[in-house]
Amino acid sequence: MTSTVGDMYGPGTSVDKSFRPVPQECARLLEWLAGITPGFTKNLEALENVTFEGEDLPSIPGPVKSVALTAVLHAMAGIVGQEISEIRGHKPGQLKINTDHAGLWLGTPIIVTLDGRDANDLIQSGELDNIVPVTDKGCFDTPLRFRGWAIYKTKTPNTWYQIHTSLAPGPVFEAIGIDPEARGINTNDEAYAHIQAAVERYEARELEMIFRERGLCGVTCFTPKAWRETEMGIALARHPLIDYKKQTYIPDSPPVAFSKTADKRPLAGIKVVELGRVIAAPALCAGLGAFGADVVRIMSPHALDISGLQITLTVGKRECSLNLDLEHDRKQLWALLEEADVVVQGYRKGAVERKGFGLTALLEMATRRGKGIIYIDQNCFGPDGIYAEVPGWEQIADAASGCCYVMGKAYGFPEGTGVLPSLPIADLSAGAVGIVTTLLAIRDRALHGGSYHGNVAITAFQAVSLLPEVGLYQPEIVEKLQEKYDWASMTPDLDVEELLMVVYNAWAKKTDLLSREDFFVEFEKTAFGDRLRILAPVVKYANKEVSPRWVSAPRPFRSDKEVIFRRDE
């Protein structure tokens, strides 16, 4: 455990007494997280086979060690990938993780270059909207709707609340007395002031009750201590961050050998069905695709999603559309699931189950076919507890866990002010947690047989990042980062898209990170343009044939017609 000082950033925070460069901190955190993760190797030689390299300082603002922890998760995925490769008779060699690359990975949605033009240029010119098919129409097209994803001061002293209109603004606004079609609001600042006037009429506990009763997305900005003392915080803490178990209450099935393929990546021949949207589940499955899995993403023809994500997080997949209210489409999905090794569902707890595709149904299918299945549930608050079925996005995880409170404190705002972390850290890191979880289950199925169930909670990563065992950076390090990068102001009204651009612009102006070609992969003749450059996988082995990589470019949502897996080579 690192030596820390308590409560410097408020109740429940622990700040390092001394600074360790990010690569050194990663080595420490890898040993700690490996030691508390069920099923993960405790062999120190395996941990020492990882080389962390990168700059001493992290590349994102604030005191939370998101870059180091994310780099560690990629290292853990790489270690399990090595184990799988050795089972398959391949030798991956030394594992290398560049911590600066891992930091960029937290900005995945915005780090894209199309025909020589970066995302900032495409967004500012308005051309991105013409390049990617619109799948979030009506969600952000007015200032009022755009500011429906922000943090607001409540009537309760020193307590702020994250409201989140998801992709349906109307119900949230109506619940707090706002006309969703209010006129005369022409700027984002006017919209924020309008919503603030409504929110501050309520105590934080009143908002919790309103949002819970109506099944809406919102949560109090807790301190880390307050979150850990909630019933939900206690329930979530009972589970390890990387949480999977063999399902022993069903008939056992034999070990499943890996396919013999020309592709030497660890998961070549593994078939994955993705049922999810936005970032966390798609990031998880894109990672599995990089390790060699054949990933088919199933989307509803009617469901909304964030339009811009299809230019990055669809990489390495096919994107098929099925309406699960239609019997014909349900049969197509079942045919796919009958072949699948892994199912990843990223909707709120119970949603997919109500459609007939939950864990129990898939385990029954696996028993019938005599081949184990791996089922990954990814949601905001985990598998049990009073918030388990509450809808949640990464911003909800940020606020609930205490991260928003800590960021506000670190930036010098008045007590209780919440400010979002500067990147979609909770989502992308939950994706990394899910990659490790899935790899462990695939390894165990190959060695021991059976079916496995994994749970990935977005809030869990943020809660773990605030534990004393992890520690926070000292205020002088936060200030040093500000001096180095000259971040623009980060405030409670800003959404993650705006904060992403703050960080991206600093990377572009103050570093060479975005010109490091070893961090990127380029595709030619894509659906979006002739040359599309996105971030490459973070995990790198000495043996390039085994190293994770994508073999197909990103593509628009719902662009593939065939709902089938590729045949084994």
Side-chain angles (χ1 to χ4, degrees):
M1 181 172 172
T2 189
S3 179
T4 60
V5 177
D7 296 347
M8 188 175 292
Y9 294 115
T13 60
S14 301
V15 177
D16 290 355
K17 289 184 177 178
S18 59
F19 173 76
R20 278 180 295 274
V22 173
Q24 294 179 24
E25 185 66 353
C26 287
R28 182 188 76 82
L29 289 171
L30 173 60
E31 186 173 348
W32 169 72
L33 192 53
I36 64 171
T37 297
F40 196 81
T41 182
K42 303 303 185 284
N43 182 352
L44 284 179
E45 289 186 8
L47 306 187
E48 291 168 356
N49 189 49
V50 182
T51 298
F52 291 105
E53 61 181 21
E55 295 292 328
D56 287 356
L57 289 172
S59 54
I60 65 175
V64 184
K65 297 178 183 175
S66 305
V67 170
L69 269 176
T70 302
V72 165
L73 289 170
H74 285 288
M76 294 176 75
I79 289 169
V80 187
Q82 287 175 319
E83 293 176 326
I84 291 172
S85 293
E86 289 164 4
I87 293 170
R88 301 187 61 168
H90 304 313
K91 295 182 178 181
Q94 184 80 16
L95 169 58
K96 183 183 293 184
I97 302 293
N98 187 290
T99 58
D100 300 323
H101 190 173
L104 288 183
W105 188 78
L106 294 171
T108 290
I110 205 71
I111 301 179
V112 57
T113 304
L114 185 63
D115 296 331
R117 301 175 64 187
D118 67 14
N120 192 29
D121 186 10
L122 294 168
I123 292 170
Q124 294 300 321
S125 68
E127 292 182 51
L128 189 62
D129 292 338
N130 299 322
I131 294 168
V132 299
V134 176
T135 55
D136 52 16
K137 187 176 181 180
C139 299
F140 314 105
D141 55 354
T142 69
L144 190 65
R145 291 170 181 167
F146 188 70
R147 281 290 175 252
W149 293 21
I151 301 174
Y152 294 91
K153 187 177 182 180
T154 71
K155 188 177 179 180
T156 307
N158 303 325
T159 306
W160 291 60
Y161 198 85
Q162 168 77 60
I163 71 166
H164 199 297
T165 55
S166 299
L167 296 174
V172 171
F173 287 145
E174 290 165 0
I176 56 177
I178 293 175
D179 177 3
E181 306 301 327
R183 299 182 180 278
I185 300 172
N186 300 312
T187 68
N188 290 336
D189 288 344
E190 290 173 354
Y192 187 80
H194 187 76
I195 299 171
Q196 176 62 80
V199 172
E200 64 187 353
R201 296 198 302 264
Y202 298 95
E203 299 280 351
R205 290 182 183 273
E206 290 180 279
L207 289 167
E208 287 288 334
M209 184 64 72
I210 291 168
F211 277 66
R212 296 297 80 81
E213 285 179 343
R214 301 191 184 203
L216 300 174
C217 201
V219 75
T220 301
C221 291
F222 291 107
T223 68
K225 180 176 185 292
W227 166 251
R228 292 173 200 148
E229 291 174 349
T230 65
E231 287 297 319
M232 190 59 237
I234 293 168
L236 188 55
R238 294 191 187 107
H239 298 274
L241 176 63
I242 298 164
D243 183 19
Y244 78 108
K245 291 182 177 66
K246 186 176 184 180
Q247 302 303 284
T248 57
Y249 57 91
I250 60 172
D252 208 357
S253 54
V256 179
F258 291 102
S259 302
K260 299 293 184 182
T261 65
D263 188 341
K264 293 184 179 180
R265 289 176 295 168
L267 297 187
I270 293 292
K271 300 176 174 67
V272 178
V273 173
E274 175 189 331
L275 304 170
R277 62 176 182 171
V278 194
I279 296 179
L284 191 172
C285 293
L288 299 180
F291 273 88
D294 182 11
V295 181
V296 177
R297 184 188 194 201
I298 302 300
M299 296 186 68
S300 164
H302 309 300
L304 300 176
D305 207 333
I306 308 298
S307 298
L309 298 177
Q310 56 200 304
I311 204 168
T312 52
L313 290 178
T314 62
V315 65
K317 309 174 189 178
R318 274 161 296 148
E319 297 279 322
C320 301
S321 175
L322 291 177
N323 183 348
L324 299 186
D325 292 326
L326 301 179
E327 184 61 25
H328 175 267
D329 286 14
R330 291 171 62 83
K331 287 181 178 179
Q332 286 194 72
L333 179 55
W334 269 118
L336 199 68
L337 295 171
E338 288 278 359
E339 289 190 67
D341 299 287
V342 178
V343 178
V344 176
Q345 85 81 21
Y347 294 96
R348 96 165 79 166
K349 182 177 174 63
V352 171
E353 186 175 12
R354 287 188 286 274
K355 293 287 188 181
F357 300 96
L359 174 63
T360 299
L362 268 293
L363 290 176
E364 290 173 352
M365 180 274 293
T367 299
R368 289 194 302 271
R369 74 182 187 182
K371 176 184 176 182
I373 192 85
I374 292 151
Y375 194 93
I376 306 295
D377 270 308
Q378 176 270 310
N379 61 21
C380 191
F381 289 112
D384 49 38
I386 60 173
Y387 275 24
E389 295 190 34
V390 168
W393 294 52
E394 70 170 67
Q395 294 93 332
I396 301 301
D398 294 335
S401 63
C403 279
C404 289
Y405 172 89
V406 168
M407 298 303 283
K409 195 83 169 177
Y411 296 157
F413 285 100
E415 175 61 29
T417 307
V419 179
L420 284 172
S422 55
L423 300 170
I425 292 164
D427 265 344
L428 284 159
S429 294
V433 169
I435 295 167
V436 180
T437 304
T438 308
L439 285 165
L440 285 167
I442 291 170
R443 179 204 66 186
D444 286 2
R445 189 187 67 156
L447 294 174
H448 310 297
S451 291
Y452 295 80
H453 181 211
N455 286 290
V456 179
I458 300 174
T459 306
F461 176 84
Q462 295 295 58
V464 165
S465 71
L466 299 178
L467 290 177
E469 292 86 348
V470 176
L472 296 166
Y473 292 125
Q474 309 97 311
E476 53 266 34
I477 298 300
V478 175
E479 181 59 32
K480 187 176 290 188
L481 291 172
Q482 180 63 39
E483 292 173 0
K484 177 178 179 179
Y485 291 97
D486 192 25
W487 318 109
S489 179
M490 301 188 192
T491 52
D493 59 311
L494 298 183
D495 179 36
V496 68
E497 178 183 321
E498 297 164 291
L499 294 168
L500 258 170
M501 293 313 304
V502 167
V503 176
Y504 181 90
N505 288 332
W507 283 339
K509 293 176 182 177
K510 300 291 184 177
T511 75
D512 67 348
L513 291 175
L514 299 177
S515 61
R516 289 281 302 272
E517 291 305 320
D518 53 323
F519 293 170
F520 294 88
V521 59
E522 187 170 289
F523 298 96
E524 296 182 357
K525 305 300 180 183
T526 74
F528 303 107
D530 289 338
R531 290 183 297 114
L532 175 62
R533 188 186 79 150
I534 63 171
L535 280 172
V538 177
V539 173
K540 289 185 171 66
Y541 299 127
N543 184 344
K544 293 185 179 180
E545 287 187 296
V546 181
S547 275
R549 62 189 181 278
W550 289 296
V551 297
S552 62
R555 62 194 72 200
F557 293 150
R558 309 179 183 94
S559 58
D560 292 288
K561 303 301 181 184
E562 290 189 315
V563 189
I564 60 172
F565 286 116
R566 299 186 182 94
R567 301 302 99 187
D568 291 341
E569 297 180 34

